[in-house]
């Protein structure tokens, strides 16, 4: 049935579905994992790097996380060429707003502009949806720190913690269990490492496979500014080793408890035999 209605983006199926949009979402599901977590004092974003070939020339500053303006950055999951077009569009919109009003564009307004473009590509003939979902982290004077997600249909929403890309359902399920209200930034970074370690297909995490960035506010008074930092590889490796050491410590503690329980059980059994 779907083959009759998936040739164009502007044809609904009898069930009310747009198959080309669903196919775009499916393409995103095979892309590298990206997750974002909102903290009380910042936002953390972590992304899986798919291209880790040693022959690649590491000229680009960041592969998965893009700076949009002074107050916003984003991470993408999906077709990289589509992502490059959309991030360039976002930067142009932000710079035009800065040129006109001499201030950074509010985060939600920038996302709405992009989602209007995405929605147009699902309604007019001769076009296909962009095969990319985007996570945005930002700050503005009215709403503070923010985390948004947009998908190929043009929908967007604000989140406390979310994930896109490969294994996103397992990651979101884990975030629902582990996320605590208003965590600090270090806690959010530790949670991001934990979720990636549990959900990524790779056997062992390292700085070549994971990229982590934070958005915080620094300075005092009128000198306060937004700082977007991509953590260096040494720091990412340190965070991963810290998490692995905590996991190993918990395993040792559980083994010790099991051994104590067995010893107590054996002692109780021998005491019962003596009494009998």
């Amino acid at each position: 049935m779907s083959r009759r209605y998936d040739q164009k983006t502007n044809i609904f199926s009898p069930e009310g579905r747009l198959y080309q949009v669903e196919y775009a979402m499916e393409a995103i599901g095979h892309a590298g994992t990206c997750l974002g977590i909102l903290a009380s004092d910042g936002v953390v974003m972590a992304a899986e790097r798919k291209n880790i070939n040693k022959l690649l020339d590491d000229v680009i500053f960041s592969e998965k996380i893009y700076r949009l303006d002074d107050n916003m950055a984003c991470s993408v999951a999906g077709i990289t060429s589509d992502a490059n077009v959309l991030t360039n569009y976002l930067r142009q919109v932000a710079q035009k707003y800065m040129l006109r009003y001499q201030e950074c564009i509010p985060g939600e307004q920038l996302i709405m502009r992009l989602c209007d473009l995405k929605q147009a590509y699902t309604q007019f003939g001769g076009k296909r949806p962009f095969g990319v979902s985007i996570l945005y982290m930002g700050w503005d004077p009215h709403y503070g720190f923010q985390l948004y997600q947009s998908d190929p249909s043009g929908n967007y929403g604000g989140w406390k913690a979310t994930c896109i890309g490969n294994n996103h359902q397992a990651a979101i399920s884990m975030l629902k269990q582990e996320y605590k209200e208003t965590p600090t930034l270090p806690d959010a970074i530790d949670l991001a490492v934990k979720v990636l370690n549990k959900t990524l297909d790779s056997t062992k995490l390292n700085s070549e496979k994971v990229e982590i960035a934070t958005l915080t506010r620094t300075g005092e008074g009128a000198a306060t500014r937004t700082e977007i930092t991509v953590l260096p590889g040494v720091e990412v490796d340190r965070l991963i080793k810290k998490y692995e050491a905590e996991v190993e410590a918990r395993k040792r503690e559980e083994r010790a408890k099991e051994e104590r329980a067995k010893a107590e059980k054996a002692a109780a059994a021998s005491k019962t035999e003596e009494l009998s």
Side-chain angles (χ1 to χ4, degrees):
M1 178 65 74
S2 65
R3 292 183 180 275
R4 297 171 54 187
Y5 301 99
D6 65 353
Q7 300 302 313
K8 295 183 179 180
T9 59
N10 55 355
I11 296 179
F12 283 97
S13 72
E15 298 86 11
R17 298 162 64 180
L18 290 172
Y19 283 105
Q20 286 293 331
V21 176
E22 293 182 15
Y23 296 160
M25 296 295 292
E26 187 67 22
I28 294 163
H30 297 292
T33 305
C34 301
L35 67 88
I37 300 174
L38 188 64
S40 59
D41 52 348
V43 190
V44 60
M45 193 172 282
E48 176 190 8
R49 284 176 170 172
K50 283 286 189 179
N51 297 326
I52 55 173
N53 195 316
K54 293 183 178 180
L55 297 179
L56 285 172
D57 189 3
D58 191 16
V59 176
I60 301 176
F61 173 71
S62 176
E63 181 190 4
K64 292 284 289 184
I65 298 172
Y66 302 82
R67 187 187 186 101
L68 302 178
D69 67 0
D70 290 342
N71 286 339
M72 285 198 73
C74 71
S75 182
V76 299
I79 302 173
T80 306
S81 56
D82 287 4
N84 290 336
V85 171
L86 294 182
T87 51
N88 285 336
Y89 177 79
L90 286 166
R91 287 167 175 165
Q92 289 176 5
V93 171
Q95 290 304 309
K96 288 177 182 178
Y97 189 96
M98 172 65 77
L99 182 64
R100 177 172 293 183
Y101 300 107
Q102 301 301 308
E103 65 179 13
C104 291
I105 186 171
E108 188 171 0
Q109 184 174 340
L110 178 60
I111 296 162
M112 286 176 63
R113 289 285 300 274
L114 180 67
C115 288
D116 289 343
L117 177 68
K118 284 186 173 185
Q119 191 276 334
Y121 273 67
T122 69
Q123 189 169 5
F124 299 112
K127 298 179 179 180
R128 68 160 176 82
F130 290 99
V132 61
S133 278
I134 305 178
L135 282 182
Y136 313 83
M137 62 177 180
W139 179 91
D140 71 39
H142 301 289
Y143 299 105
F145 296 108
Q146 300 167 77
L147 176 67
Y148 289 96
Q149 175 194 343
S150 68
D151 59 39
S153 66
N155 286 330
Y156 76 93
W159 294 79
K160 295 178 181 178
T162 189
C163 180
I164 56 177
N166 191 29
N167 296 329
H168 67 281
Q169 292 180 342
I172 290 175
S173 177
M174 188 172 179
L175 286 170
K176 287 179 180 178
Q177 297 175 357
E178 301 287 342
Y179 182 82
K180 298 178 181 178
E181 290 294 327
T182 60
T184 61
L185 191 65
D187 291 338
I189 294 174
D190 291 341
L191 178 57
V193 172
K194 181 178 181 179
V195 172
L196 287 178
N197 189 75
K198 294 281 188 180
T199 57
L200 292 192
D201 293 332
S202 57
T203 55
K204 186 174 177 61
L205 285 184
N206 56 50
S207 58
E208 292 182 349
K209 299 177 183 176
V210 176
E211 186 173 327
I212 300 176
T214 60
L215 184 144
T216 55
R217 296 283 289 174
T218 59
E220 296 180 359
T224 306
R225 62 185 179 86
T226 303
E227 186 171 332
I228 300 170
T229 306
V230 177
L231 300 186
V234 175
E235 179 66 14
V236 174
D237 285 331
R238 185 190 68 80
L239 291 168
I240 294 171
K241 289 178 180 178
K242 175 187 173 185
Y243 169 73
E244 291 174 347
E246 291 174 354
V247 170
E248 191 62 32
R250 283 196 296 268
K251 287 181 179 179
R252 286 197 300 267
E253 186 177 349
E254 289 174 0
R255 286 196 295 267
K257 285 182 179 179
E258 291 177 358
E259 290 175 359
R260 285 197 300 268
K262 288 179 180 179
E264 290 174 359
K265 189 175 181 180
S270 63
K271 189 175 182 180
T272 304
E273 290 178 358
E274 291 175 359
L275 291 174
S276 61

